[in-house]
Amino acid sequence: MGGIAKWLKYRSFEIGLVGHCKTNAKAIEITIKSTAMSRVSVNPEILHWARERAGVSVDVLGHLFPKFEQWETGEVKPTLKQLEALAKKTLTPLGYFFLDTPPEDRLPIPDFRTLDDRAVHRTSPNLLDTVQMMQRRQAWMLEFLIEQGQPRLPFVGAAEPTDDPVQVATHIRQVLGIGDRWAAQHRTWEDALRALRLAVEKAGILIITNGIVGNNTRRKLDPAEFRGFVLPDAYTPLVFINGVDGKAAQMFTIAHELAHVWFDKSAVFDLRELQPAEDRTEIACNKVAAEFLVPERELRALWPMEGQDTESFQVIARNFKVSTLVAARRALDLDLINRETFFDFYRNYLEDERRFSALRKRKPGGDFYANQNARVGRRFAYAVVRAAKEGRILYRDAYQLTGLQGKTFDKYAKSLGLGF
């Protein structure tokens, strides 16, 4: 009997026992314990695949499962109970362990992440689960909006990667309802970032910023793996920002993702050093993002007035309400500085960012319900809560879509002005 058949037999047997629990509870308890302790035949290649997929070493798993190395060589078989614990530790669906060969666990969208100029082929469970979670939310929102009679958004797919970046950036500002000097209206670039998020959401784009998988604080997203991804759609495009990434980079990521929406191209990307992968669309998105945040004409007019040292980046940052990192990257793109100057600045910037991150970790996490507006997306959350309140979806479905349960869900609903 194959592994999956054995597992199904165990589970169906346990379910069958429930119906007879009143007649022989002790016998049922003994049988279930015996089933959990039964050895299960698993392809060692799948154990190896699950470990590498989760990025966990043999030594680490060996502390939890003393015979794991022997499992992986096929010398010893794990029990069903041990396999369930391993599935939880490696973030692997239990059913995967009963396949004959390791599955192809690929991202459902184009992957433009890079690592030392080489393509990245491995996807962490955290990234994969996050993309799939966002796809489910987008699918629900799509159905909801169509039922509400919302028309298609005309700007999705309104441009081509070959179009003039200046014209595309101008059109994006027009749709968002912000002018050429929109950022100058705000005191700091952090204020400009918040205003940009609100404008994006108001235009009909779902925007989510989260640094963990759902609300699971134990599953942190790695900015070295990805900075963001985008899921274009004619009714409800969705952009996701890795909240662990520095806020300085988040503004550029949003602008980059907006270009993806205009080109109607989905992707996940890391934008190492704020540079795109070697792909025509990615390169075009970066050009549009740079023009959207720091227009070339205005920067060239400003540059002769400034010195040629890194203090110029601070002047640019203040003028355009972007971070100094974005300012430096734009200056390099326009050949106003050389690569050596940029990377000297970049290394110092990263060191400062690491110090600031260490300080931020010591501070309280902030208002939980306010954080949900970023993690779930206020527009999406409002639609889900409203649908639950009107009885159009079950509470359990609303809980699954938002990642919030019971009283926590009710309190968040009140924070949105939709108390029960």
Side-chain angles (χ1 to χ4, degrees):
M1 182 180 292
I4 186 65
K6 288 182 180 179
W7 179 70
L8 290 172
K9 180 183 178 182
Y10 293 152
R11 283 301 182 223
S12 62
F13 184 62
E14 289 180 35
I15 292 169
L17 287 172
V18 174
H20 301 86
C21 62
K22 293 181 180 179
T23 60
N24 199 340
K26 186 63 177 177
I28 292 171
E29 182 182 357
I30 293 172
T31 304
I32 290 177
K33 286 182 177 179
S34 176
T35 300
M37 295 304 294
S38 299
R39 298 285 171 181
V40 182
S41 179
V42 181
N43 184 347
E45 291 183 11
I46 295 180
L47 295 173
H48 178 77
W49 168 84
R51 177 176 61 77
E52 288 208 328
R53 174 178 179 267
V56 185
S57 68
V58 174
D59 291 338
V60 170
L61 288 180
H63 285 296
L64 299 172
F65 311 100
K67 294 186 179 181
F68 179 81
E69 194 168 357
Q70 292 171 281
W71 296 352
E72 205 170 89
T73 60
E75 298 174 44
V76 177
K77 298 177 182 179
T79 66
L80 180 61
K81 185 175 181 180
Q82 289 171 330
L83 205 58
E84 289 174 337
L86 179 65
K88 185 176 181 180
K89 179 63 181 178
T90 59
L91 304 174
T92 305
L94 182 60
Y96 281 12
F97 288 110
F98 299 93
L99 298 174
D100 294 329
T101 58
E104 290 189 14
D105 206 8
R106 294 182 179 180
L107 279 168
I109 57 178
D111 186 351
F112 292 115
R113 295 171 296 145
T114 59
L115 181 61
D116 297 330
D117 299 325
R118 298 189 301 274
V120 171
H121 298 290
R122 183 180 300 165
T123 300
S124 74
N126 287 347
L127 172 56
L128 186 63
D129 289 351
T130 298
V131 172
Q132 292 172 343
M133 184 186 301
M134 293 305 109
Q135 287 182 317
R136 290 192 295 272
R137 290 181 179 178
Q138 185 184 51
W140 182 89
M141 192 68 172
L142 172 62
E143 184 178 349
F144 173 81
L145 292 174
I146 291 177
E147 287 179 355
Q148 297 295 305
Q150 176 178 295
R152 297 167 62 94
L153 299 174
F155 56 81
V156 179
E160 295 289 339
T162 53
D163 290 349
D164 181 2
V166 176
Q167 293 181 357
V168 178
T170 299
H171 189 214
I172 293 176
R173 285 193 290 267
Q174 290 173 347
V175 170
L176 299 186
I178 57 180
D180 292 346
R181 302 287 295 169
W182 65 275
Q185 302 171 14
H186 304 283
R187 188 175 61 86
T188 66
W189 65 266
E190 289 95 338
D191 292 338
L193 175 60
R194 282 191 290 270
L196 177 59
R197 283 178 51 87
L198 290 173
V200 169
E201 197 165 49
K202 187 176 180 181
I205 300 171
L206 296 179
I207 181 166
I208 292 89
T209 302
N210 202 353
I212 57 178
V213 180
N215 280 319
N216 190 339
T217 55
R218 295 183 179 181
R219 299 184 63 182
K220 294 184 178 179
L221 302 178
D222 183 3
E225 181 181 20
F226 79 107
R227 276 186 163 148
F229 59 83
V230 58
L231 305 174
D233 179 82
Y235 292 88
T236 179
L238 184 150
V239 299
F240 184 94
I241 311 296
N242 188 337
V244 180
D245 201 8
K247 290 189 179 298
Q250 288 181 25
M251 179 178 282
F252 194 89
T253 301
I254 291 175
H256 182 97
E257 290 180 318
L258 286 173
H260 269 282
V261 172
W262 256 250
F263 297 146
D264 196 15
K265 303 288 186 181
S266 61
V268 60
F269 42 80
D270 56 7
L271 292 177
R272 288 171 60 83
E273 298 157 0
L274 298 190
Q275 278 291 83
E278 290 297 324
D279 173 80
R280 184 186 71 160
T281 299
E282 283 294 288
I283 293 172
C285 286
N286 247 43
K287 289 181 178 179
V288 170
E291 182 64 32
F292 175 81
L293 296 174
V294 185
E296 178 180 358
R297 179 177 56 80
E298 295 180 26
L299 178 55
R300 288 192 182 280
L302 176 68
W303 188 258
M305 301 168 59
E306 308 304 328
Q308 297 300 304
D309 55 27
T310 55
E311 290 185 3
S312 302
F313 306 149
Q314 296 175 350
V315 175
I316 297 171
R318 286 196 300 271
N319 191 279
F320 294 99
K321 294 300 185 300
V322 296
S323 69
T324 52
L325 177 60
V326 172
R329 181 72 251 184
R330 186 59 163 151
L332 175 64
D333 290 339
L334 297 178
D335 294 323
L336 299 175
I337 59 173
N338 57 37
R339 293 181 63 83
E340 182 180 359
T341 299
F342 172 76
F343 284 109
D344 283 344
F345 169 80
Y346 186 71
R347 285 188 290 270
N348 291 331
Y349 182 91
L350 291 182
E351 184 60 34
D352 290 341
E353 185 67 22
R354 278 190 286 269
R355 287 198 295 268
F356 291 143
S357 295
L359 290 173
R360 285 195 292 268
K361 288 179 182 177
R362 300 171 191 165
K363 297 180 180 179
D367 185 341
F368 174 82
Y369 299 105
N371 289 340
Q372 297 313 302
N373 288 332
R375 288 181 180 177
V376 182
R378 183 180 176 86
R379 182 167 176 261
F380 172 80
Y382 190 93
V384 172
V385 172
R386 177 183 162 193
K389 184 176 181 181
E390 295 175 354
R392 284 182 284 139
I393 62 171
L394 298 174
Y395 281 114
R396 69 182 183 193
D397 294 332
Y399 294 164
Q400 290 177 349
L401 286 167
T402 60
L404 302 173
Q405 305 285 330
K407 292 182 179 180
T408 304
F409 178 86
D410 294 342
K411 289 180 180 179
Y412 181 53
K414 290 181 180 178
S415 75
L416 295 173
L418 290 172
F420 289 85

